[in-house]
Amino acid sequence: MTKMPASPEQENVARAFLAARAEKTPLTLYPGARPQTMAEAYAIQGAAIALDGRRLGGWKVGRIPADLVERYQDNRLTGPIFSDEIFDGSAGQVPAMPVYAAGFAAAEAEVLLCFGEVGTRDYDLDSVRDCIADVRTGIEIASSPFVEINRHGPAVTASDYGNNKGLILGPSIPDWRNADLIAMPVEMAIDGDTVGVATMETMLDGPFGSALFLIRVLRARGIAIPPGTWVSAGAITGIHEIIPGQRADAVFDGKIRVSCTITG
């Protein structure tokens, strides 16, 4: 992927998404020419990040469907998570997470990796663990004012912050360096009803593969990864649509729970 600056038209798309998010105005149509490549999507996303001005606290990573990998030349996408939308749920707190009620909203059970010092070295799937300082359970809130955010391919999804609206940091996974994360059972419930059960075997090469992907893509985009940066490594049990007033609970390994409620 080659880094490309945003064109004036792409900057206008970024401004339209920022305005819709700020004013909580639903978008029924994409606000401009839809990006056709991931480079175009990241140009829009990068312009929005610059215009937004908030501090970045992390990045979400999502999977690109197998039948679209060849077209988009990658198997994952990413989007920013802003520091003021990261909440602690590690000690039983149940944060209230706002979404765009008239747009798209979902909750996803995810493993969260915290980067330590990344530096400039090359990594592989094993050595990337060396720059991970913590691994936690968590829930990503996916929400966009564009109701069809996930219906037009990964480039459209990536262009609006990767469809992210926040992150809940759950408890750390004990002895994560030696734990078999891939085989860990994960269950997601909404209002007490189970909506998904899976393991991380569904996540390509797992959460550390997501970290490896993120390092590669952010380096290509010229974006630094300071220590303390979180990566939400990808939906484990699925993308579960949710509405204000509902509660989401993710349970990892049958005993580690992280929860949130949803507001409009």
Side-chain angles (χ1 to χ4, degrees), residues 228-249:
T229 297
W230 289 98
V231 50
S232 195
I236 301 168
T237 65
I239 300 169
H240 308 294
E241 294 195 31
I242 200 163
I243 61 174
Q246 291 187 313
R247 172 178 169 133
D249 294 275

mmCIF file with all atom_site columns, all heavy atoms in Angstrom, residues 228-249:
data_model
loop_
_atom_site.group_PDB
_atom_site.id
_atom_site.type_symbol
_atom_site.label_atom_id
_atom_site.label_alt_id
_atom_site.label_comp_id
_atom_site.label_asym_id
_atom_site.label_entity_id
_atom_site.label_seq_id
_atom_site.pdbx_PDB_ins_code
_atom_site.Cartn_x
_atom_site.Cartn_y
_atom_site.Cartn_z
_atom_site.occupancy
_atom_site.B_iso_or_equiv
_atom_site.pdbx_formal_charge
_atom_site.auth_seq_id
_atom_site.auth_comp_id
_atom_site.auth_asym_id
_atom_site.auth_atom_id
_atom_site.pdbx_PDB_model_num
ATOM 1   N N   . GLY A 1 228 ? 1.826   2.372   24.855 1.00 0.00 ? 228 GLY A N   1
ATOM 2   C CA  . GLY A 1 228 ? 0.506   2.591   25.429 1.00 0.00 ? 228 GLY A CA  1
ATOM 3   C C   . GLY A 1 228 ? -0.612  2.581   24.406 1.00 0.00 ? 228 GLY A C   1
ATOM 4   O O   . GLY A 1 228 ? -1.793  2.672   24.758 1.00 0.00 ? 228 GLY A O   1
ATOM 5   N N   . THR A 1 229 ? -0.262  2.458   23.112 1.00 0.00 ? 229 THR A N   1
ATOM 6   C CA  . THR A 1 229 ? -1.270  2.383   22.057 1.00 0.00 ? 229 THR A CA  1
ATOM 7   C C   . THR A 1 229 ? -1.998  1.041   22.126 1.00 0.00 ? 229 THR A C   1
ATOM 8   O O   . THR A 1 229 ? -1.367  -0.015  22.170 1.00 0.00 ? 229 THR A O   1
ATOM 9   C CB  . THR A 1 229 ? -0.607  2.536   20.673 1.00 0.00 ? 229 THR A CB  1
ATOM 10  O OG1 . THR A 1 229 ? 0.003   3.821   20.574 1.00 0.00 ? 229 THR A OG1 1
ATOM 11  C CG2 . THR A 1 229 ? -1.636  2.374   19.554 1.00 0.00 ? 229 THR A CG2 1
ATOM 12  N N   . TRP A 1 230 ? -3.317  1.085   22.098 1.00 0.00 ? 230 TRP A N   1
ATOM 13  C CA  . TRP A 1 230 ? -4.129  -0.136  22.116 1.00 0.00 ? 230 TRP A CA  1
ATOM 14  C C   . TRP A 1 230 ? -4.465  -0.571  20.698 1.00 0.00 ? 230 TRP A C   1
ATOM 15  O O   . TRP A 1 230 ? -4.642  0.265   19.807 1.00 0.00 ? 230 TRP A O   1
ATOM 16  C CB  . TRP A 1 230 ? -5.433  0.089   22.880 1.00 0.00 ? 230 TRP A CB  1
ATOM 17  C CG  . TRP A 1 230 ? -5.227  0.229   24.356 1.00 0.00 ? 230 TRP A CG  1
ATOM 18  C CD1 . TRP A 1 230 ? -5.143  1.390   25.077 1.00 0.00 ? 230 TRP A CD1 1
ATOM 19  C CD2 . TRP A 1 230 ? -5.059  -0.840  25.293 1.00 0.00 ? 230 TRP A CD2 1
ATOM 20  N NE1 . TRP A 1 230 ? -4.924  1.107   26.405 1.00 0.00 ? 230 TRP A NE1 1
ATOM 21  C CE2 . TRP A 1 230 ? -4.869  -0.240  26.561 1.00 0.00 ? 230 TRP A CE2 1
ATOM 22  C CE3 . TRP A 1 230 ? -5.032  -2.232  25.188 1.00 0.00 ? 230 TRP A CE3 1
ATOM 23  C CZ2 . TRP A 1 230 ? -4.665  -0.996  27.721 1.00 0.00 ? 230 TRP A CZ2 1
ATOM 24  C CZ3 . TRP A 1 230 ? -4.827  -2.986  26.326 1.00 0.00 ? 230 TRP A CZ3 1
ATOM 25  C CH2 . TRP A 1 230 ? -4.654  -2.379  27.578 1.00 0.00 ? 230 TRP A CH2 1
ATOM 26  N N   . VAL A 1 231 ? -4.566  -1.870  20.506 1.00 0.00 ? 231 VAL A N   1
ATOM 27  C CA  . VAL A 1 231 ? -5.101  -2.405  19.259 1.00 0.00 ? 231 VAL A CA  1
ATOM 28  C C   . VAL A 1 231 ? -6.236  -3.359  19.605 1.00 0.00 ? 231 VAL A C   1
ATOM 29  O O   . VAL A 1 231 ? -6.064  -4.300  20.383 1.00 0.00 ? 231 VAL A O   1
ATOM 30  C CB  . VAL A 1 231 ? -4.031  -3.108  18.389 1.00 0.00 ? 231 VAL A CB  1
ATOM 31  C CG1 . VAL A 1 231 ? -3.217  -4.103  19.172 1.00 0.00 ? 231 VAL A CG1 1
ATOM 32  C CG2 . VAL A 1 231 ? -4.665  -3.780  17.181 1.00 0.00 ? 231 VAL A CG2 1
ATOM 33  N N   . SER A 1 232 ? -7.400  -3.044  19.078 1.00 0.00 ? 232 SER A N   1
ATOM 34  C CA  . SER A 1 232 ? -8.555  -3.927  19.220 1.00 0.00 ? 232 SER A CA  1
ATOM 35  C C   . SER A 1 232 ? -8.480  -4.901  18.053 1.00 0.00 ? 232 SER A C   1
ATOM 36  O O   . SER A 1 232 ? -8.654  -4.522  16.894 1.00 0.00 ? 232 SER A O   1
ATOM 37  C CB  . SER A 1 232 ? -9.851  -3.107  19.186 1.00 0.00 ? 232 SER A CB  1
ATOM 38  O OG  . SER A 1 232 ? -10.949 -3.847  19.647 1.00 0.00 ? 232 SER A OG  1
ATOM 39  N N   . ALA A 1 233 ? -8.191  -6.167  18.361 1.00 0.00 ? 233 ALA A N   1
ATOM 40  C CA  . ALA A 1 233 ? -7.606  -7.075  17.374 1.00 0.00 ? 233 ALA A CA  1
ATOM 41  C C   . ALA A 1 233 ? -8.591  -7.709  16.397 1.00 0.00 ? 233 ALA A C   1
ATOM 42  O O   . ALA A 1 233 ? -8.163  -8.410  15.488 1.00 0.00 ? 233 ALA A O   1
ATOM 43  C CB  . ALA A 1 233 ? -6.821  -8.176  18.090 1.00 0.00 ? 233 ALA A CB  1
ATOM 44  N N   . GLY A 1 234 ? -9.893  -7.480  16.567 1.00 0.00 ? 234 GLY A N   1
ATOM 45  C CA  . GLY A 1 234 ? -10.853 -8.028  15.610 1.00 0.00 ? 234 GLY A CA  1
ATOM 46  C C   . GLY A 1 234 ? -11.974 -8.780  16.286 1.00 0.00 ? 234 GLY A C   1
ATOM 47  O O   . GLY A 1 234 ? -11.786 -9.385  17.347 1.00 0.00 ? 234 GLY A O   1
ATOM 48  N N   . ALA A 1 235 ? -13.153 -8.732  15.674 1.00 0.00 ? 235 ALA A N   1
ATOM 49  C CA  . ALA A 1 235 ? -14.333 -9.382  16.241 1.00 0.00 ? 235 ALA A CA  1
ATOM 50  C C   . ALA A 1 235 ? -14.123 -10.891 16.314 1.00 0.00 ? 235 ALA A C   1
ATOM 51  O O   . ALA A 1 235 ? -13.696 -11.509 15.344 1.00 0.00 ? 235 ALA A O   1
ATOM 52  C CB  . ALA A 1 235 ? -15.570 -9.064  15.408 1.00 0.00 ? 235 ALA A CB  1
ATOM 53  N N   . ILE A 1 236 ? -14.436 -11.467 17.464 1.00 0.00 ? 236 ILE A N   1
ATOM 54  C CA  . ILE A 1 236 ? -14.260 -12.911 17.662 1.00 0.00 ? 236 ILE A CA  1
ATOM 55  C C   . ILE A 1 236 ? -15.562 -13.652 17.407 1.00 0.00 ? 236 ILE A C   1
ATOM 56  O O   . ILE A 1 236 ? -15.583 -14.648 16.675 1.00 0.00 ? 236 ILE A O   1
ATOM 57  C CB  . ILE A 1 236 ? -13.750 -13.198 19.091 1.00 0.00 ? 236 ILE A CB  1
ATOM 58  C CG1 . ILE A 1 236 ? -12.409 -12.489 19.324 1.00 0.00 ? 236 ILE A CG1 1
ATOM 59  C CG2 . ILE A 1 236 ? -13.590 -14.714 19.307 1.00 0.00 ? 236 ILE A CG2 1
ATOM 60  C CD1 . ILE A 1 236 ? -11.970 -12.465 20.768 1.00 0.00 ? 236 ILE A CD1 1
ATOM 61  N N   . THR A 1 237 ? -16.656 -13.188 17.984 1.00 0.00 ? 237 THR A N   1
ATOM 62  C CA  . THR A 1 237 ? -17.935 -13.897 17.858 1.00 0.00 ? 237 THR A CA  1
ATOM 63  C C   . THR A 1 237 ? -18.832 -13.309 16.778 1.00 0.00 ? 237 THR A C   1
ATOM 64  O O   . THR A 1 237 ? -19.903 -13.849 16.519 1.00 0.00 ? 237 THR A O   1
ATOM 65  C CB  . THR A 1 237 ? -18.697 -13.880 19.193 1.00 0.00 ? 237 THR A CB  1
ATOM 66  O OG1 . THR A 1 237 ? -19.049 -12.518 19.518 1.00 0.00 ? 237 THR A OG1 1
ATOM 67  C CG2 . THR A 1 237 ? -17.860 -14.470 20.316 1.00 0.00 ? 237 THR A CG2 1
ATOM 68  N N   . GLY A 1 238 ? -18.412 -12.202 16.154 1.00 0.00 ? 238 GLY A N   1
ATOM 69  C CA  . GLY A 1 238 ? -19.216 -11.583 15.115 1.00 0.00 ? 238 GLY A CA  1
ATOM 70  C C   . GLY A 1 238 ? -19.468 -10.120 15.405 1.00 0.00 ? 238 GLY A C   1
ATOM 71  O O   . GLY A 1 238 ? -19.051 -9.574  16.433 1.00 0.00 ? 238 GLY A O   1
ATOM 72  N N   . ILE A 1 239 ? -20.147 -9.469  14.475 1.00 0.00 ? 239 ILE A N   1
ATOM 73  C CA  . ILE A 1 239 ? -20.532 -8.062  14.598 1.00 0.00 ? 239 ILE A CA  1
ATOM 74  C C   . ILE A 1 239 ? -22.004 -8.048  15.001 1.00 0.00 ? 239 ILE A C   1
ATOM 75  O O   . ILE A 1 239 ? -22.878 -8.387  14.191 1.00 0.00 ? 239 ILE A O   1
ATOM 76  C CB  . ILE A 1 239 ? -20.313 -7.317  13.270 1.00 0.00 ? 239 ILE A CB  1
ATOM 77  C CG1 . ILE A 1 239 ? -18.834 -7.386  12.862 1.00 0.00 ? 239 ILE A CG1 1
ATOM 78  C CG2 . ILE A 1 239 ? -20.769 -5.867  13.372 1.00 0.00 ? 239 ILE A CG2 1
ATOM 79  C CD1 . ILE A 1 239 ? -18.562 -6.922  11.445 1.00 0.00 ? 239 ILE A CD1 1
ATOM 80  N N   . HIS A 1 240 ? -22.277 -7.685  16.241 1.00 0.00 ? 240 HIS A N   1
ATOM 81  C CA  . HIS A 1 240 ? -23.628 -7.817  16.794 1.00 0.00 ? 240 HIS A CA  1
ATOM 82  C C   . HIS A 1 240 ? -24.289 -6.445  16.891 1.00 0.00 ? 240 HIS A C   1
ATOM 83  O O   . HIS A 1 240 ? -23.905 -5.615  17.722 1.00 0.00 ? 240 HIS A O   1
ATOM 84  C CB  . HIS A 1 240 ? -23.560 -8.480  18.163 1.00 0.00 ? 240 HIS A CB  1
ATOM 85  C CG  . HIS A 1 240 ? -22.781 -9.768  18.170 1.00 0.00 ? 240 HIS A CG  1
ATOM 86  N ND1 . HIS A 1 240 ? -23.216 -10.889 17.490 1.00 0.00 ? 240 HIS A ND1 1
ATOM 87  C CD2 . HIS A 1 240 ? -21.582 -10.095 18.724 1.00 0.00 ? 240 HIS A CD2 1
ATOM 88  C CE1 . HIS A 1 240 ? -22.321 -11.870 17.660 1.00 0.00 ? 240 HIS A CE1 1
ATOM 89  N NE2 . HIS A 1 240 ? -21.330 -11.409 18.393 1.00 0.00 ? 240 HIS A NE2 1
ATOM 90  N N   . GLU A 1 241 ? -25.271 -6.225  16.020 1.00 0.00 ? 241 GLU A N   1
ATOM 91  C CA  . GLU A 1 241 ? -25.953 -4.930  16.024 1.00 0.00 ? 241 GLU A CA  1
ATOM 92  C C   . GLU A 1 241 ? -26.669 -4.716  17.350 1.00 0.00 ? 241 GLU A C   1
ATOM 93  O O   . GLU A 1 241 ? -27.174 -5.663  17.967 1.00 0.00 ? 241 GLU A O   1
ATOM 94  C CB  . GLU A 1 241 ? -26.902 -4.832  14.832 1.00 0.00 ? 241 GLU A CB  1
ATOM 95  C CG  . GLU A 1 241 ? -26.154 -4.814  13.496 1.00 0.00 ? 241 GLU A CG  1
ATOM 96  C CD  . GLU A 1 241 ? -27.016 -4.369  12.330 1.00 0.00 ? 241 GLU A CD  1
ATOM 97  O OE1 . GLU A 1 241 ? -27.938 -3.546  12.533 1.00 0.00 ? 241 GLU A OE1 1
ATOM 98  O OE2 . GLU A 1 241 ? -26.767 -4.852  11.207 1.00 0.00 ? 241 GLU A OE2 1
ATOM 99  N N   . ILE A 1 242 ? -26.705 -3.450  17.778 1.00 0.00 ? 242 ILE A N   1
ATOM 100 C CA  . ILE A 1 242 ? -27.192 -3.125  19.114 1.00 0.00 ? 242 ILE A CA  1
ATOM 101 C C   . ILE A 1 242 ? -27.855 -1.758  19.070 1.00 0.00 ? 242 ILE A C   1
ATOM 102 O O   . ILE A 1 242 ? -27.557 -0.943  18.186 1.00 0.00 ? 242 ILE A O   1
ATOM 103 C CB  . ILE A 1 242 ? -26.010 -3.162  20.119 1.00 0.00 ? 242 ILE A CB  1
ATOM 104 C CG1 . ILE A 1 242 ? -26.497 -3.315  21.556 1.00 0.00 ? 242 ILE A CG1 1
ATOM 105 C CG2 . ILE A 1 242 ? -25.086 -1.966  19.933 1.00 0.00 ? 242 ILE A CG2 1
ATOM 106 C CD1 . ILE A 1 242 ? -25.417 -3.754  22.522 1.00 0.00 ? 242 ILE A CD1 1
ATOM 107 N N   . ILE A 1 243 ? -28.769 -1.489  20.001 1.00 0.00 ? 243 ILE A N   1
ATOM 108 C CA  . ILE A 1 243 ? -29.486 -0.211  20.022 1.00 0.00 ? 243 ILE A CA  1
ATOM 109 C C   . ILE A 1 243 ? -29.407 0.395   21.417 1.00 0.00 ? 243 ILE A C   1
ATOM 110 O O   . ILE A 1 243 ? -29.165 -0.300  22.405 1.00 0.00 ? 243 ILE A O   1
ATOM 111 C CB  . ILE A 1 243 ? -30.961 -0.379  19.589 1.00 0.00 ? 243 ILE A CB  1
ATOM 112 C CG1 . ILE A 1 243 ? -31.695 -1.328  20.539 1.00 0.00 ? 243 ILE A CG1 1
ATOM 113 C CG2 . ILE A 1 243 ? -31.051 -0.861  18.139 1.00 0.00 ? 243 ILE A CG2 1
ATOM 114 C CD1 . ILE A 1 243 ? -33.187 -1.432  20.264 1.00 0.00 ? 243 ILE A CD1 1
ATOM 115 N N   . PRO A 1 244 ? -29.617 1.714   21.512 1.00 0.00 ? 244 PRO A N   1
ATOM 116 C CA  . PRO A 1 244 ? -29.599 2.359   22.822 1.00 0.00 ? 244 PRO A CA  1
ATOM 117 C C   . PRO A 1 244 ? -30.583 1.692   23.787 1.00 0.00 ? 244 PRO A C   1
ATOM 118 O O   . PRO A 1 244 ? -31.678 1.286   23.396 1.00 0.00 ? 244 PRO A O   1
ATOM 119 C CB  . PRO A 1 244 ? -30.009 3.798   22.507 1.00 0.00 ? 244 PRO A CB  1
ATOM 120 C CG  . PRO A 1 244 ? -29.512 4.013   21.109 1.00 0.00 ? 244 PRO A CG  1
ATOM 121 C CD  . PRO A 1 244 ? -29.753 2.701   20.415 1.00 0.00 ? 244 PRO A CD  1
ATOM 122 N N   . GLY A 1 245 ? -30.147 1.574   25.039 1.00 0.00 ? 245 GLY A N   1
ATOM 123 C CA  . GLY A 1 245 ? -30.949 0.925   26.065 1.00 0.00 ? 245 GLY A CA  1
ATOM 124 C C   . GLY A 1 245 ? -30.552 -0.513  26.305 1.00 0.00 ? 245 GLY A C   1
ATOM 125 O O   . GLY A 1 245 ? -30.939 -1.108  27.318 1.00 0.00 ? 245 GLY A O   1
ATOM 126 N N   . GLN A 1 246 ? -29.770 -1.089  25.386 1.00 0.00 ? 246 GLN A N   1
ATOM 127 C CA  . GLN A 1 246 ? -29.361 -2.480  25.555 1.00 0.00 ? 246 GLN A CA  1
ATOM 128 C C   . GLN A 1 246 ? -28.021 -2.564  26.289 1.00 0.00 ? 246 GLN A C   1
ATOM 129 O O   . GLN A 1 246 ? -27.289 -1.582  26.410 1.00 0.00 ? 246 GLN A O   1
ATOM 130 C CB  . GLN A 1 246 ? -29.258 -3.176  24.195 1.00 0.00 ? 246 GLN A CB  1
ATOM 131 C CG  . GLN A 1 246 ? -30.615 -3.384  23.531 1.00 0.00 ? 246 GLN A CG  1
ATOM 132 C CD  . GLN A 1 246 ? -30.530 -4.221  22.270 1.00 0.00 ? 246 GLN A CD  1
ATOM 133 O OE1 . GLN A 1 246 ? -29.683 -4.000  21.408 1.00 0.00 ? 246 GLN A OE1 1
ATOM 134 N NE2 . GLN A 1 246 ? -31.421 -5.201  22.154 1.00 0.00 ? 246 GLN A NE2 1
ATOM 135 N N   . ARG A 1 247 ? -27.718 -3.770  26.773 1.00 0.00 ? 247 ARG A N   1
ATOM 136 C CA  . ARG A 1 247 ? -26.472 -4.050  27.479 1.00 0.00 ? 247 ARG A CA  1
ATOM 137 C C   . ARG A 1 247 ? -25.731 -5.172  26.758 1.00 0.00 ? 247 ARG A C   1
ATOM 138 O O   . ARG A 1 247 ? -26.351 -6.144  26.310 1.00 0.00 ? 247 ARG A O   1
ATOM 139 C CB  . ARG A 1 247 ? -26.761 -4.467  28.920 1.00 0.00 ? 247 ARG A CB  1
ATOM 140 C CG  . ARG A 1 247 ? -25.519 -4.963  29.688 1.00 0.00 ? 247 ARG A CG  1
ATOM 141 C CD  . ARG A 1 247 ? -25.853 -5.306  31.114 1.00 0.00 ? 247 ARG A CD  1
ATOM 142 N NE  . ARG A 1 247 ? -24.737 -6.014  31.772 1.00 0.00 ? 247 ARG A NE  1
ATOM 143 C CZ  . ARG A 1 247 ? -24.256 -5.725  32.968 1.00 0.00 ? 247 ARG A CZ  1
ATOM 144 N NH1 . ARG A 1 247 ? -24.800 -4.730  33.663 1.00 0.00 ? 247 ARG A NH1 1
ATOM 145 N NH2 . ARG A 1 247 ? -23.258 -6.421  33.485 1.00 0.00 ? 247 ARG A NH2 1
ATOM 146 N N   . ALA A 1 248 ? -24.418 -5.028  26.659 1.00 0.00 ? 248 ALA A N   1
ATOM 147 C CA  . ALA A 1 248 ? -23.571 -6.055  26.053 1.00 0.00 ? 248 ALA A CA  1
ATOM 148 C C   . ALA A 1 248 ? -22.643 -6.632  27.109 1.00 0.00 ? 248 ALA A C   1
ATOM 149 O O   . ALA A 1 248 ? -22.062 -5.889  27.914 1.00 0.00 ? 248 ALA A O   1
ATOM 150 C CB  . ALA A 1 248 ? -22.750 -5.461  24.908 1.00 0.00 ? 248 ALA A CB  1
ATOM 151 N N   . ASP A 1 249 ? -22.522 -7.955  27.129 1.00 0.00 ? 249 ASP A N   1
ATOM 152 C CA  . ASP A 1 249 ? -21.613 -8.654  28.029 1.00 0.00 ? 249 ASP A CA  1
ATOM 153 C C   . ASP A 1 249 ? -20.771 -9.632  27.219 1.00 0.00 ? 249 ASP A C   1
ATOM 154 O O   . ASP A 1 249 ? -21.329 -10.463 26.489 1.00 0.00 ? 249 ASP A O   1
ATOM 155 C CB  . ASP A 1 249 ? -22.386 -9.437  29.098 1.00 0.00 ? 249 ASP A CB  1
ATOM 156 C CG  . ASP A 1 249 ? -23.137 -8.530  30.052 1.00 0.00 ? 249 ASP A CG  1
ATOM 157 O OD1 . ASP A 1 249 ? -22.526 -8.067  31.028 1.00 0.00 ? 249 ASP A OD1 1
ATOM 158 O OD2 . ASP A 1 249 ? -24.341 -8.297  29.812 1.00 0.00 ? 249 ASP A OD2 1
#
